Amino acid sequence: MRAFKRLSTGGTLLAWKSKWRSQPGKSPLSSSNTKVCVVGSGPAGFYTAQHLLKARQDVEVDIYERLPVPFGLVRFGVAPDHPEVKNVINSFTQTAKHARCHFYGNVNIGKDVSVEELRQAYHAVILSYGAEGNRTMGIPGEDLPGVYSAKDFVGWYNGLPSCRDLNPDLSPETAVILGQGNVALDVARILLSPIDILKKTDITQAALEALMESKVRRVLIVGRRGPMQVACTIKELREMVKLPATRPEMLQADFVGVSEALSDLPRPRKRLTELMLKSATELSTDEERERSHQNWRSWGFRFFRSPVQIRPNSDGSRVEAVRLAVNRLEGSGEAARAVLTGELEDVTCGLVVSSIGYKSLPIDPAVPFDPDKAIVPNQMGRVHQAPGLYCSGWLKTGPTGVIATTMNNSFDTAKSLIEDMDSGHLDTSAAKSGAESITDLLAKRGVKRVTFPDWEKIDDLERRKGEAMGKPREKMLTVEAMLQVARTEKV
């Protein structure tokens, strides 16, 4: 009633509802609908919403996002030279424009609104906010200048506001990437890609200009196990092999016995290993001569090695080398374990990127959280000892797989929720206020939400700026700039 009085000069309670709830092109919603809230607008959030909206006509989904812009790691994590992967944004946009779906950006759950307040307002709350933290190596020197997490480095060239000031030093000739997954190869590829390729992508102009001045000519990608356990996929490896003006630089000793073991490998692993082996051993004399030209850059895997120390230069002002422990494997295949041999070696470098994985962080003290696994404890997406609370995506499983993996994971969580509705385990009999009460709380707390039409203003301006520069878009780098555009009247 207080909210009604505040707006009484502007009309009726219906006007208040319209002010906070309506979006252009949306149909009025039934108060008897089951109201579901999704926290996080990355792939996990949108795929969960998609499945719920398709499966049930009586479900209404509100998606809350900390930033003013949607799409999470599709916008901020996918490499700029992978535009085809970003096509999922088209289907996410259709979901956001669905009559029973609403997007609320610039709302920080756990700070602006508590999870308990969401649970009071919605029949079900699904946490899908991903993995925003960094896994640390726990070795001396990892905080030295010149050492970066892959998450922050990727966020820097992709325009994540919190990473805009990273300003990595790209003056060293050699970079070492610790980790051999797809993100590690993304970083290596961006460091070595010709500028003419990058300038046609949505990489930020600030990152593009820094890479234009980069002195990095050699990238080593380090992993603790061997070629037959490497974590990247064949697509990313093939891109490295075909990268213009680069040559592979491998250690023949790392591939001893690999060709003899190929026949026993599963087909995907076999194809990946064959390509790696070919790139390591089968360059012709002419190719080797050409690729050894001083203007060419190089990249290579270093297997059977674990970082034990990041070594500083003489005055301790920045990184000078990575000390690696040499490993041997016990066991075989995916189950093989790296065991220290006692041998150490130093790799001189001035840039280190740690790509050992993202991790989820707790969002609210009221939500169960396993700090060791960095996930919310759950059974098929149902949060332990918290009826009506669910999770999907990396928060549910840890940071594994690709977007398709997240899609299946999220669909499974949606199925669990639907099963709970059908069985009566989730009580949907009582009416819930949903976004109406949450937006009232936000208004009282001075939080200005961003709707999907507001996002489309940002999107439109980014595209127009990008078009003028010959690229798909030029991203805004600050929340303040995003909000300023979101508040303007669309021209």
Side-chain angles (χ1 to χ4, degrees):
M1 200 63 187
R2 288 191 298 272
F4 171 70
K5 287 179 181 177
R6 185 183 301 112
L7 295 168
S8 60
T9 56
T12 65
L13 180 59
L14 181 61
W16 175 81
K17 288 184 178 180
S18 175
K19 174 180 176 64
W20 284 102
R21 185 71 176 139
S22 298
Q23 292 182 19
K26 301 258 184 171
S27 304
L29 300 169
S30 169
S31 60
S32 63
N33 280 345
T34 297
K35 292 182 170 59
V36 177
C37 158
V38 173
V39 179
S41 69
F46 268 106
Y47 280 130
T48 307
Q50 273 182 13
H51 194 80
L52 288 171
L53 293 166
K54 183 178 180 180
R56 296 285 296 238
Q57 300 303 307
D58 59 343
V59 168
E60 178 183 322
V61 181
D62 294 330
I63 301 175
Y64 291 88
E65 167 59 48
R66 178 174 54 83
L67 290 170
V69 296
F71 309 134
L73 280 184
V74 179
R75 177 180 169 97
F76 296 119
V78 173
D81 58 347
H82 284 174
E84 73 285 353
V85 181
K86 301 185 184 187
N87 288 338
V88 294
I89 285 176
N90 297 328
S91 69
F92 293 168
T93 296
Q94 291 178 359
T95 299
K97 291 185 172 184
H98 192 286
R100 289 182 281 114
C101 185
H102 291 79
F103 170 79
Y104 299 124
N106 197 44
V107 180
N108 192 340
I109 302 303
K111 179 181 177 183
D112 298 330
V113 179
S114 72
V115 171
E116 186 55 38
E117 286 169 331
L118 291 179
R119 295 182 72 186
Q120 292 296 321
Y122 290 89
H123 294 101
V125 174
I126 305 171
L127 303 174
S128 305
Y129 60 83
E132 296 182 336
N134 295 310
R135 292 190 182 277
T136 57
M137 295 180 285
I139 61 175
E142 66 178 314
D143 295 324
L144 280 170
V147 182
Y148 308 94
S149 73
K151 184 190 80 68
D152 291 345
F153 199 88
V154 169
W156 168 70
Y157 62 64
N158 272 333
L160 183 64
S162 62
C163 299
R164 65 184 292 266
D165 295 324
L166 189 70
N167 194 27
D169 182 0
L170 304 182
S171 63
E173 180 178 324
T174 299
V176 170
I177 301 175
L178 303 172
Q180 295 179 330
N182 286 342
V183 174
L185 266 67
D186 283 346
V187 172
R189 196 176 63 255
I190 295 300
L191 283 171
L192 297 176
S193 285
I195 293 299
D196 286 345
I197 292 176
L198 294 178
K199 65 171 52 173
K200 298 174 184 177
T201 73
D202 67 356
I203 192 170
T204 67
Q205 190 62 23
L208 184 64
E209 291 172 1
L211 288 163
M212 290 171 99
E213 301 299 320
S214 172
K215 299 295 189 294
V216 176
R217 294 291 180 270
R218 179 174 181 248
V219 178
L220 300 179
I221 309 164
V222 177
R224 71 184 188 279
R225 298 194 293 171
M228 291 183 287
Q229 292 82 32
V230 70
C232 65
T233 58
I234 193 168
K235 176 181 182 293
E236 276 68 23
L237 177 60
R238 190 179 290 120
E239 287 175 324
M240 289 302 301
V241 172
K242 294 183 177 181
L243 194 62
T246 65
R247 59 187 179 87
E249 176 196 330
M250 309 286 194
L251 297 178
Q252 298 299 317
D254 284 352
F255 292 87
V256 172
V258 170
S259 46
E260 292 81 1
L262 283 174
S263 59
D264 295 328
L265 297 177
R267 187 169 183 272
R269 173 64 69 181
K270 180 180 179 182
R271 291 175 61 229
L272 173 64
T273 309
E274 283 175 335
L275 178 58
M276 209 180 326
L277 190 61
K278 181 179 180 181
S279 67
T281 60
E282 294 185 9
L283 282 178
S284 70
T285 303
D286 290 341
E287 285 177 318
E288 182 61 40
R289 189 178 298 116
E290 181 184 0
R291 291 188 174 200
S292 295
H293 189 275
Q294 63 180 0
N295 291 331
W296 282 61
R297 302 177 179 186
S298 69
W299 65 275
F301 289 118
R302 290 293 181 271
F303 295 107
F304 308 110
R305 283 155 178 81
S306 299
V308 292
Q309 182 186 1
I310 311 290
R311 300 189 62 191
N313 60 3
S314 57
D315 63 6
S317 62
R318 62 168 300 106
V319 60
E320 183 178 75
V322 178
R323 175 158 290 178
L324 302 173
V326 180
N327 303 323
R328 60 180 174 81
L329 292 188
E330 286 188 354
S332 60
E334 302 297 332
R337 292 190 310 113
V339 178
L340 297 176
T341 63
E343 182 182 349
L344 298 172
E345 64 181 34
D346 286 353
V347 177
T348 301
C349 63
L351 171 64
V352 176
V353 180
S354 171
S355 185
I356 61 172
Y358 296 14
K359 71 172 183 178
S360 297
L361 301 172
I363 193 174
D364 189 302
V367 178
F369 191 80
D370 183 334
D372 294 326
K373 296 180 179 179
I375 62 170
V376 169
N378 71 92
Q379 181 67 35
M380 293 297 291
R382 300 175 179 93
V383 176
H384 291 175
Q385 300 178 337
L389 191 60
Y390 300 81
C391 60
S392 65
W394 284 358
L395 185 65
K396 171 185 173 185
T397 62
T400 59
V402 294
I403 288 181
T405 316
T406 299
M407 178 181 70
N408 292 327
N409 163 326
S410 303
F411 285 178
D412 286 343
T413 292
K415 290 173 185 175
S416 292
L417 194 157
I418 292 166
E419 288 173 5
D420 291 348
M421 289 175 63
D422 291 341
S423 68
H425 183 72
L426 178 66
D427 183 9
T428 60
S429 59
K432 292 278 189 173
S433 59
E436 291 178 10
S437 61
I438 298 302
T439 47
D440 185 32
L441 287 175
L442 294 174
K444 290 177 183 176
R445 296 167 185 175
V447 179
K448 296 182 178 179
R449 69 193 175 98
V450 172
T451 65
F452 203 77
D454 291 336
W455 145 248
E456 290 180 310
K457 298 175 197 174
I458 298 170
D459 181 42
D460 180 63
L461 183 57
E462 287 185 343
R463 288 176 184 271
R464 285 191 281 116
K465 284 187 173 181
E467 185 178 0
M469 302 167 76
K471 56 197 300 192
R473 74 171 64 237
E474 180 60 28
K475 294 174 186 172
M476 296 178 194
L477 300 183
T478 68
V479 168
E480 291 75 20
M482 296 171 185
L483 292 177
Q484 185 176 5
V485 174
R487 303 287 171 249
T488 61
E489 293 295 326
K490 190 170 183 179
V491 178

